[in-house]
Amino acid sequence: MSVQELVVRRGRRSGVTTMVAVHSSKLGPAVGGCRLKVYPRVQDAIDDVLRLSAAMTRKCAVAGLDFGGGKSVIALDAVPTAEQRREILLDHADLIASLDGAYLAGPDVGTGPDDMLVLHERTPHVFCLPEEHGGTGSSSGPTAVGVLAALRAGSRAVFGDDEMHGRKVVISGYGSVGAHLAAGLAGQGADVVVSDVDGRRLADAEKQGLSVVPPEQALGIEADVLIPAAVGGVFGPETEVAAPLVVGPANNQLTDDTVAANLAAKGILWIPDFVASAGGVVYTLGREAQNLTHEQAIARVETLEETTRRILDAASANGSTPLAEADALAEARLTSGAEPRTPSPREPRTAA
């Protein structure tokens, strides 16, 4: 499916190029994070926003959300000062506002709840405001809950059980989600090894009693589980992976969808990133769009375990890959609008 709408604009205050891609509104308004980072070229940012928005369409469809896929990118050419950052965010907010609710923004790489508060000065179409301002704040915790749910299903498929005690887990990326995952898995008795490009994060990990390795070594470490929790484009046709199970929150992990078959041929079970990473958007929309309680929203995130199990069962039965089955599930819902085959923890209250 091609992109439905792409808007690229140079901010009137900052002169910085910002953009929004609405990939699909078939199931509802497009939702997706606002990514703020330095790009070598504007075209690189456009390529990124198009890939990310397409992934959000699949993520929302598979997770059973009545929302479409979108994404926005702020294409920096240098790290801004605090004053420049505010001007850039206000420019981006004006772009979002001009779409009249066709795109709803949340945090992504380079942005957080405080940035959403700045966007909210110019547009109401924003999720994840700080809790003291009526939002749900960071979605990192719920995202990690969803990854752990998918990991349980993947572990049973590969190892026969979901016991993490004594298993070696490598987490590539020790940001907010990676840190949540490391703490949760270490608490279950896993031998956790983390990597990150930021030396300060590695120092924090060591303070938590975790083993650390340079990023370039992470994929080659003999382990039971590899969790990609940083940037995308991690796995290409020639990438060697030393763990039999790969499941993580990083978006667009494959350089090309054909890599899924390559990994499968090598005996590696790769759980699609748009399935494993859906916990944050499921939780946030449950709380802010459907008025669910925290407990109800977390229960809905936990259903990603069953979604993953059914995808893996279908892949095994059909001799296909989990990516092919997840794509088929997304396409079925986009075509028919029918709910995917996932359990509902309880009926939500009336939407706001």
Side-chain angles (χ1 to χ4, degrees), residues 310-322 325:
R310 294 187 179 189
I311 288 169
L312 297 182
D313 286 349
S316 178
N318 297 330
S320 61
T321 65
E325 296 301 332

Side-chain angles (χ1 to χ4, degrees), residues 27-235:
L27 298 175
V31 295
C34 168
R35 179 163 294 200
L36 183 151
K37 61 176 285 190
V38 175
Y39 288 89
R41 303 176 304 147
V42 171
Q43 186 60 51
D44 296 324
I46 292 173
D47 292 343
D48 208 17
V49 79
L50 292 175
R51 285 192 298 264
L52 292 165
S53 65
M56 283 302 301
T57 294
R58 297 198 289 186
K59 182 181 296 188
C60 290
V62 170
L65 300 173
D66 293 327
F67 289 86
K71 210 75 174 184
S72 63
V73 161
I74 297 171
L76 301 176
D77 53 18
V79 177
T81 65
E83 182 178 350
Q84 291 170 333
R85 183 185 180 96
R86 176 174 169 78
E87 290 182 344
I88 292 166
L89 288 168
L90 290 174
D91 283 339
H92 193 53
D94 287 341
L95 174 55
I96 294 170
S98 72
L99 298 177
D100 294 325
Y103 165 70
L104 313 173
D108 196 74
V109 172
T111 62
D114 288 341
D115 297 309
M116 298 304 102
L117 194 60
V118 178
L119 296 181
H120 197 252
E121 293 179 25
R122 307 289 300 178
T123 176
H125 305 303
V126 179
F127 286 106
C128 293
L129 298 179
E131 292 184 50
E132 61 270 26
H133 291 276
T136 54
S138 173
S139 62
S140 297
T143 299
V145 171
V147 173
L148 293 174
L151 174 57
R152 289 194 295 274
S155 294
R156 286 195 299 274
V158 173
F159 308 118
D161 61 61
D162 58 13
E163 177 61 57
M164 284 293 110
H165 184 81
R167 291 207 166 107
K168 189 170 185 177
V169 180
V170 176
I171 301 176
S172 177
Y174 193 68
S176 54
V177 179
H180 277 292
L181 290 167
L185 289 165
Q188 295 179 45
D191 175 13
V192 178
V193 180
V194 304
S195 70
D196 200 280
V197 296
D198 189 332
R200 294 169 298 180
R201 291 178 178 177
L202 292 184
D204 289 340
E206 288 185 306
K207 290 178 183 178
Q208 301 301 317
L210 304 173
S211 301
V212 301
V213 296
E216 62 272 15
Q217 295 180 15
L219 272 60
I221 295 176
E222 294 285 344
D224 297 298
V225 181
L226 173 63
I227 297 179
V231 295
V234 179
F235 306 112

Side-chain angles (χ1 to χ4, degrees), residues 144-351:
V145 171
V147 173
L148 293 174
L151 174 57
R152 289 194 295 274
S155 294
R156 286 195 299 274
V158 173
F159 308 118
D161 61 61
D162 58 13
E163 177 61 57
M164 284 293 110
H165 184 81
R167 291 207 166 107
K168 189 170 185 177
V169 180
V170 176
I171 301 176
S172 177
Y174 193 68
S176 54
V177 179
H180 277 292
L181 290 167
L185 289 165
Q188 295 179 45
D191 175 13
V192 178
V193 180
V194 304
S195 70
D196 200 280
V197 296
D198 189 332
R200 294 169 298 180
R201 291 178 178 177
L202 292 184
D204 289 340
E206 288 185 306
K207 290 178 183 178
Q208 301 301 317
L210 304 173
S211 301
V212 301
V213 296
E216 62 272 15
Q217 295 180 15
L219 272 60
I221 295 176
E222 294 285 344
D224 297 298
V225 181
L226 173 63
I227 297 179
V231 295
V234 179
F235 306 112
E238 306 303 321
T239 304
E240 294 297 326
V241 179
L245 175 59
V246 179
V247 50
N251 291 312
N252 292 348
Q253 294 169 20
L254 308 183
T255 58
D256 184 272
D257 281 357
T258 59
V259 175
N262 295 344
L263 291 171
K266 296 175 182 178
I268 297 165
L269 180 63
W270 178 75
I271 294 176
D273 41 36
F274 58 89
V275 177
S277 65
V281 69
V282 169
Y283 178 86
T284 298
L285 295 176
R287 293 292 310 279
E288 299 192 26
Q290 296 179 301
N291 293 328
L292 299 186
T293 65
H294 168 75
E295 292 75 16
Q296 289 172 325
I298 286 293
R300 184 161 290 180
V301 172
E302 295 282 9
T303 67
L304 291 174
E305 178 178 349
E306 176 64 10
T307 300
T308 305
R309 183 189 68 78
R310 294 187 179 189
I311 288 169
L312 297 182
D313 286 349
S316 178
N318 297 330
S320 61
T321 65
L323 177 59
E325 296 301 332
D327 275 344
L329 180 59
E331 185 60 31
R333 183 154 191 260
L334 287 165
T335 301
S336 69
E339 289 296 322
R341 297 170 297 170
T342 54
S344 176
R346 70 177 71 174
E347 289 297 317
R349 288 178 284 161
T350 304

